[in-house]
Amino acid sequence: ASGTNVPTSTVIKARNDGQISVRRQNIMEVLQSGGLMGIKDICTNLPEYSEKMIQRELAELVESGKVRKAGLKRWSRYSIATI
């Protein structure tokens, strides 16, 4: 993809072949080390991403079954889904 100015994480996400984006991988690593965490806790560990970006990525991770969500709205807590 020479000559294009598309960020790598966008390319990985757009490929949709089951590969996880760098952002999602970073979120998963934070959750693995922290257990049950709220969005603010995750944001503190990943200051390079906005809270909205983390919310969107968490929603996708929950939908895909990789992350479990407990609670509603601002009381939501996230953790790695166990099989």
Side-chain angles (χ1 to χ4, degrees), residues 4-18:
T4 60
N5 291 327
V6 178
T8 305
S9 61
T10 304
V11 173
I12 292 171
K13 188 176 171 189
R15 282 182 17 204
N16 202 14
D17 63 359

Side-chain angles (χ1 to χ4, degrees), residues 31-66:
L31 287 172
Q32 283 172 338
S33 66
L36 199 61
M37 301 178 82
I39 288 179
K40 299 267 188 220
D41 303 320
I42 298 166
C43 289
T44 301
N45 287 282
L46 297 170
E48 64 271 27
Y49 305 127
S50 71
E51 189 172 326
K52 281 289 177 196
M53 178 69 68
I54 290 174
Q55 282 178 329
R56 285 192 295 268
E57 294 293 351
L58 280 169
E60 291 288 329
L61 286 165
V62 168
E63 191 175 313
S64 70
K66 290 179 173 61

